[in-house]
Amino acid sequence: MSERLSPRTILLLTLPPLLWAGNTIVGRLLHDMLPPVLLNFLRWALAFCFLLPLAGPVLRREAGLWRYWREYATLGLLGIGMYNALQYMALQSSTPINVTLVASGMPVWMMLTGWLFFGVPVSRKQVAGAVLSIAGVVLVLARGEWRHVLDLRLVAGDLYMILATIAWSLYSWLLLRIKEPAAIRANWASFLLAQVAFGVLWSGGFALGEQALGAMPVQWSWPLLAGLLYVATGPAIVAFGCWGAGVRAAGPAIGSFFVNLTPLFTAVLSSAILGETPHAYHAAAFALIVGGIVISARR
């Protein structure tokens, strides 16, 4: 274990949660400057431009990608067109801390999705872990008051984030079912560009729909441009590359626990940048979610 978790591997697995936490902070900072679905489209359009010089050949006809265009169109819809758009929509009415804690219930949704749609059996330990993790998510949604659970009322942001986690769970399972040429997955930039190419089309269509419904006008400014540059490079390209390298070195089981650093980083950044002080129930919810994941992961 100590050999696998070298300082380099720890850095590779720690940097993505930090960048993802920054994504929620920036999304919150930009929420009154441009519509959330348009933000998602601009983010991935920029990422597409940055990835094209690195992995452009994957889009050529002879690369083999286009034989699997339906599968990659689905991945682009769920992982790029929907997940990030729903996350930015959640940040319109919910705080970054709440958003990342609700997202920390992702392993539970992964388990349920695998069981319901892909026939993956579920053990008793996984059920027990799921109950703990769901309790943590409910604690966040109830804003720390268990007595309010029975009359719980979800704000729009909470509902959007739950839908986002379900979309990402489906996306993650479908990743395992595509049998495309090995060369596409061998290069992280090629694999990401293959998804982004379709995801940009989906997110662009959703952004047009948002505008047709009367979305707010864009408030162009240097802070907005800086925010767009960050979300298109850090949480997307840099985090994806580091995460792939870290998981290859340590394995997905170990890597999954590093994801739960995201709420902690978000709490620190929210306090420092947004002035949003974490509450005791945030810590309790985090403990329940992580405890549930640890129990579920035991054999």
Side-chain angles (χ1 to χ4, degrees), residues 43-236:
R43 171 194 184 180
W44 289 109
L46 285 172
F48 177 85
C49 295
F50 295 146
L51 286 167
L52 200 57
L54 299 175
V58 76
L59 300 180
R60 295 175 181 171
R61 179 174 298 181
E62 62 271 18
L65 168 65
W66 301 107
R67 284 181 293 164
Y68 300 87
W69 71 268
R70 292 180 181 84
E71 290 84 351
Y72 272 89
T74 303
L75 293 178
L77 169 64
L78 295 170
I80 293 172
M82 289 182 63
Y83 178 76
N84 293 117
L86 288 166
Q87 184 184 56
Y88 291 139
M89 291 169 68
L91 290 165
Q92 298 286 306
S93 57
S94 191
T95 66
I97 298 175
N98 274 23
V99 164
T100 53
L101 279 172
V102 172
S104 291
M106 184 77 71
V108 176
W109 293 108
M110 291 278 197
M111 180 190 69
L112 292 175
T113 301
W115 176 57
L116 288 173
F117 299 107
F118 300 95
V120 178
V122 177
S123 67
R124 291 181 179 180
K125 288 183 178 180
Q126 287 177 311
V127 173
V131 171
L132 275 181
S133 291
I134 290 173
V137 173
V138 172
L139 182 60
V140 174
L141 300 180
R143 298 335 187 237
E145 296 290 341
W146 286 114
R147 57 190 174 87
H148 291 163
V149 169
L150 293 179
D151 58 351
L152 181 63
R153 296 293 183 271
L154 297 179
V155 302
D158 298 331
L159 181 58
Y160 287 140
M161 203 58 222
I162 290 173
L163 292 174
T165 57
I166 294 173
W168 188 264
S169 298
L170 286 168
Y171 163 83
S172 299
W173 279 105
L174 289 173
L175 279 177
L176 303 176
R177 303 179 72 85
I178 298 178
K179 304 299 182 182
E180 79 279 51
I184 296 178
R185 290 196 188 223
N187 183 296
W188 69 268
S190 297
F191 187 47
L192 181 56
L193 181 60
Q195 300 172 63
V196 171
F198 292 99
V200 166
L201 297 177
W202 286 113
S203 58
F206 295 151
L208 288 175
E210 181 184 56
Q211 293 299 310
L213 293 174
M216 62 176 288
V218 179
Q219 306 295 323
W220 292 106
S221 64
W222 287 113
L224 173 56
L225 294 176
L228 287 172
L229 182 62
Y230 171 77
V231 298
T233 55

